[in-house]
Amino acid sequence: MLNMESSKDKHNFNIKFEKNDPSINLDTYTKALAAINTMVKEVNYQTNSVDGDVAVRIVAEKPGSFDVAFELVRLAIENGEMIFKGIEALSLVISIVVGVIEIKKHLGDRDATDKQNVDIQGDQVNIKNEQGEVVFKTTRQTFNIFLNNQTVNDAVSAQFQAIKDDEEIEAITYKNGDNTVTVTKESFETLSKKRRVKVNDSKTSTVAATLVISKLVLDNKNQKWQFINQGVKISATIDDDDFWAKVLEGREAFANGDRLICDLETIRDYRKELGAYVDKEYIVKNVRDHQRREVYEQLEL
């Protein structure tokens, strides 16, 4: 159960895996929690809800179940030291994370841009079922994260792919204040499916992405790295001064298979003979997280 309790310094929440057996598969456990961590950080970055970075810390586990206690805190630098700070906006980050899961649960693979499925009234977004009935109400901010953010969508599918593969888990319940979201086994398949964010045909587009490193170049930031993006190999330069400063100072070390959480800018040219735009160049920007290969080798067994 996802149980929220705010304080001046932190925001507490729990995730409970609903199952009879008081043990859990390690792959399920680590992959599900890693996906939640990615979603929280990416939602905070995209919404700018909390100044600076946020961190998710595991506090404790209750004996006899997998009800895991967490603290969500804001990281800040003061006088050269890392400290923890918390503000009420941390609760909003968790609300959006849970809201994205619920949108996907109700929409499935139906078109999120079709008015028969989604009705937008100002800041309120109504999600409808196949009969046209409103089954979930959310904010435009939460809906836009679901609609446009590939990294968050990938994290949702990664979380529920791991959960779906564990036949002992019957449900997961998220509770945010008085609002409760229950995801039962019947929805695991829908939530585990990959969802590709649609990009309009335009000369330049930017989307959040999780890129797998297949080849890197550390001695010249103008040279292109090779990545795997949604199963497709691409070559891209990295335009991020903070990232390169860490590389040059030796604060980053890489291996093939590491992942970068970032924005991916795609430049397209219009080809008259095809009557369509064709990808010409890729640029990586705003690198927000570097996830080590060894972690994902274990998670993806």
Side-chain angles (χ1 to χ4, degrees):
M1 177 163 48
L2 193 120
N3 196 347
M4 308 294 175
E5 179 183 351
S6 296
S7 73
K8 181 179 179 181
D9 299 319
K10 60 183 177 292
H11 186 71
N12 297 334
F13 64 100
N14 294 66
I15 298 176
K16 187 175 182 180
F17 299 85
E18 305 283 357
K19 60 199 303 288
N20 294 324
D21 193 331
S23 64
I24 191 169
N25 181 280
L26 180 62
D27 286 340
T28 303
Y29 187 64
T30 53
K31 192 166 187 178
L33 298 190
I36 285 289
N37 184 57
T38 297
M39 290 179 69
V40 167
K41 289 190 171 188
E42 182 65 17
V43 165
N44 179 64
Y45 176 83
Q46 294 295 336
T47 61
N48 197 29
S49 297
V50 181
D51 292 336
D53 195 10
V54 294
V56 181
R57 304 187 301 183
I58 295 179
V59 179
E61 293 175 357
K62 294 182 179 179
S65 72
F66 277 88
D67 187 355
V68 189
F70 296 89
E71 288 179 349
L72 177 61
V73 296
R74 181 169 75 95
L75 295 177
I77 297 290
E78 285 188 5
N79 299 323
E81 296 183 356
M82 188 72 77
I83 64 171
F84 292 116
K85 288 186 176 181
I87 59 176
E88 292 181 359
L90 292 170
S91 177
L92 174 62
V93 173
I94 300 299
S95 298
I96 294 175
V97 167
V98 177
V100 168
I101 292 172
E102 181 138 35
I103 292 172
K104 185 172 182 180
K105 183 183 80 171
H106 289 296
L107 271 183
D109 56 4
R110 292 183 295 139
D111 188 355
T113 63
D114 190 332
K115 293 183 179 180
Q116 292 184 341
N117 300 323
V118 177
D119 177 44
I120 301 177
Q121 301 289 338
D123 188 52
Q124 180 174 299
V125 179
N126 300 318
I127 309 299
K128 302 177 183 179
N129 61 18
E130 293 181 351
Q131 290 73 43
E133 302 167 330
V134 175
V135 291
F136 179 59
K137 296 180 180 180
T138 187
T139 64
R140 186 187 288 266
Q141 185 179 47
T142 301
F143 180 70
N144 284 341
I145 291 288
F146 167 80
L147 189 66
N148 300 313
N149 194 292
Q150 188 67 62
T151 295
V152 171
N153 277 274
D154 288 347
V156 173
S157 61
Q159 179 190 8
F160 283 95
Q161 181 64 54
I163 293 170
K164 178 177 74 73
D165 290 343
D166 189 330
E167 296 182 356
E168 296 179 344
I169 298 178
E170 298 296 327
I172 292 184
T173 300
Y174 304 88
K175 185 178 180 183
N176 184 6
D178 296 330
N179 299 320
T180 299
V181 175
T182 298
V183 180
T184 61
K185 181 174 286 189
E186 290 75 16
S187 298
F188 291 173
E189 178 68 31
T190 296
L191 286 161
S192 69
K193 290 181 179 179
K194 289 277 190 178
R195 176 178 178 272
R196 187 182 293 274
V197 169
K198 294 181 178 179
V199 179
N200 294 328
D201 288 334
S202 59
K203 292 184 179 180
T204 303
S205 65
T206 303
V207 297
T210 301
L211 303 179
V212 181
I213 299 173
S214 64
K215 182 179 179 181
L216 50 86
V217 181
L218 298 178
D219 59 351
N220 188 338
K221 67 179 183 179
N222 294 317
Q223 293 294 314
K224 293 183 178 181
W225 293 32
Q226 291 183 4
F227 301 98
I228 306 299
N229 177 40
Q230 295 289 299
V232 178
K233 182 176 288 188
I234 64 171
S235 298
T237 55
I238 300 179
D239 182 13
D240 186 326
D241 290 340
D242 291 338
F243 172 81
W244 280 110
K246 293 177 183 178
V247 171
L248 295 175
E249 293 168 7
R251 288 186 285 151
E252 290 282 9
F254 299 92
N256 287 351
D258 284 6
R259 286 159 166 77
L260 297 184
I261 306 296
C262 59
D263 289 337
L264 180 63
E265 180 178 291
T266 303
I267 299 174
R268 296 177 171 88
D269 278 349
Y270 185 77
R271 299 277 295 275
K272 291 183 179 180
E273 67 275 19
L274 299 175
Y277 286 95
V278 176
D279 293 354
K280 175 185 178 183
E281 184 177 358
Y282 299 98
I283 303 172
V284 173
K285 296 185 174 182
N286 302 323
V287 178
R288 300 183 282 286
D289 195 12
H290 171 203
Q291 300 176 341
R292 305 296 180 180
R293 172 186 178 180
E294 57 266 22
V295 174
Y296 277 87
E297 284 181 333
Q298 178 184 21
L299 296 182
E300 295 177 353
L301 289 176

